Amino acid sequence: HDGTVVELRPVQTNGNEKARLQQIIKDQKQDILRRAVWARQQKPVTVTAYACARSTGGRHDFYSEGDYWWPNPTSADSPYIQRDGQTNPENFVAHRRAMVRFSRIMGGLAAAYVASRDQAYLNQALVHARAWFVDTATMMNPNLQYAQAIKGRATGRGIGIIDTIHFLEVVQALRIMEKAGAIPDADLRAIKDWFSKYLAWMTTHPYGKDEMKAANNHGTCWVMQVAMFAKWVGDQHWMDFCTERYKTLLLPDQMAARGRFPRGLQ
């Protein structure tokens, strides 16, 4: 009901599962289409629509700030100080909100196509995908070099990589669009090239390596993203890496016997 994409993949389901999925889509069709009205009316808004003077990056760089860091009351020019558990309402979150919005739009439009088979929904989704990944005037650079920054302390941090979990919904929509033939070849190559570059950054930059090693939900979200992006661009090496890491490290080391994740509750 919140724009989540429902994808039918007959080759991976038996007859009963396929029929069940089709019934779910049929039952929710009107609600899906109603919610897609909003998504269809939206214009693209990318990171280039907002800027923060505290960012050391450029116009096309995603930027966010650590939630619990505040100006030092003794000197405005001093490095920020931490107030654990207290979110600074003046921190820059516009890029994060734009990414969440993008995810909702893409999910809503793709879900509406699955429910109706009306290609117009995917045509509108393509407008947004081009703005974020193809158009040189509005696209986001394929890295999170400046995410979770702290004024006077860090221009960016690896924990900021969790911000792009919203691209999981975007990639699900893109997969549906590709299967439907709704992405022209040149755009498809450009979008997959963007994700290939981001995947390379996530797996080679020190921020990405730090996030991969995180022993809590951050490490899990790194694997979740790398697996999805690798599948989208056809990178078997990183797909296999994530599968193995999930089986041998994430499940045995992070999940308790009853399915709780205690390190995420600390």
Side-chain angles (χ1 to χ4, degrees):
H1 291 285
D2 59 357
T4 302
V5 173
V6 179
E7 182 180 5
L8 295 182
R9 291 177 288 176
V11 296
Q12 297 183 10
T13 60
N14 60 36
N16 291 336
E17 291 171 335
K18 182 179 178 181
R20 182 176 60 84
L21 289 173
Q22 289 175 334
Q23 187 62 46
I24 291 172
I25 292 171
K26 181 179 178 181
D27 292 343
Q28 297 186 5
K29 179 177 180 179
Q30 294 308 312
D31 193 38
I32 291 171
L33 298 182
R34 178 179 59 82
R35 292 177 180 272
V37 171
W38 170 84
R40 201 168 181 177
Q41 294 172 343
Q42 302 309 301
K43 302 296 184 182
V45 175
T46 74
V47 295
T48 60
Y50 309 99
C52 179
R54 293 185 292 275
S55 173
T56 58
R59 181 169 178 261
H60 297 270
D61 290 309
F62 180 94
Y63 179 71
S64 64
E65 295 180 309
D67 290 336
Y68 304 142
W69 293 87
W70 296 68
N72 189 331
T74 62
S75 173
D77 294 329
S78 297
Y80 275 17
I81 59 175
Q82 188 177 32
R83 297 181 184 176
D84 193 24
Q86 300 180 42
T87 299
N88 180 357
E90 299 302 319
N91 280 349
F92 185 80
V93 294
H95 288 175
R96 188 182 299 161
R97 288 176 176 171
M99 190 176 289
V100 171
R101 175 182 179 272
F102 177 42
S103 172
R104 289 182 60 206
I105 290 169
M106 293 293 285
L109 292 172
Y113 167 76
V114 171
S116 68
R117 295 298 164 179
D118 184 347
Q119 189 95 3
Y121 290 108
L122 300 188
N123 293 341
Q124 182 65 17
L126 181 61
V127 174
H128 291 268
R130 281 172 171 161
W132 277 85
F133 306 125
V134 181
D135 188 340
T136 55
T138 58
M139 67 184 292
M140 171 184 158
N141 285 335
N143 64 71
L144 253 64
Q145 190 91 17
Y146 306 99
Q148 286 288 322
I150 305 170
K151 182 183 176 182
R153 298 182 182 274
T155 58
R157 295 180 294 162
I159 65 171
I161 291 173
I162 201 170
D163 282 345
T164 45
I165 59 171
H166 304 290
F167 278 165
L168 297 176
E169 187 78 354
V170 172
V171 171
Q172 285 286 64
L174 289 169
R175 291 175 61 202
I176 290 173
M177 293 165 68
E178 180 183 22
K179 184 177 179 180
I183 309 178
D185 290 344
D187 291 326
L188 185 63
R189 287 193 298 271
I191 295 170
K192 288 195 173 185
D193 181 64
W194 192 99
F195 276 96
S196 292
K197 290 176 179 176
Y198 184 48
L199 181 63
W201 184 86
M202 287 185 69
T203 55
T204 60
H205 191 275
Y207 289 173
K209 292 181 178 180
D210 287 345
E211 192 74 343
M212 178 190 71
K213 297 173 185 176
N216 58 10
N217 61 303
H218 280 264
T220 303
C221 287
W222 183 94
V223 168
M224 184 168 61
Q225 290 185 72
V226 169
M228 176 64 82
F229 303 154
K231 185 174 183 178
W232 166 240
V233 302
D235 190 322
Q236 192 63 46
H237 166 75
W238 285 110
M239 289 172 63
D240 293 342
F241 178 91
C242 290
T243 299
E244 188 65 18
R245 193 169 185 82
Y246 176 77
K247 292 191 298 184
T248 62
L249 185 66
L250 298 184
L251 278 181
D253 289 2
Q254 291 194 25
M255 190 173 78
R258 295 188 177 183
R260 298 171 71 247
F261 288 82
R263 293 177 182 175
L265 299 173
Q266 295 173 352

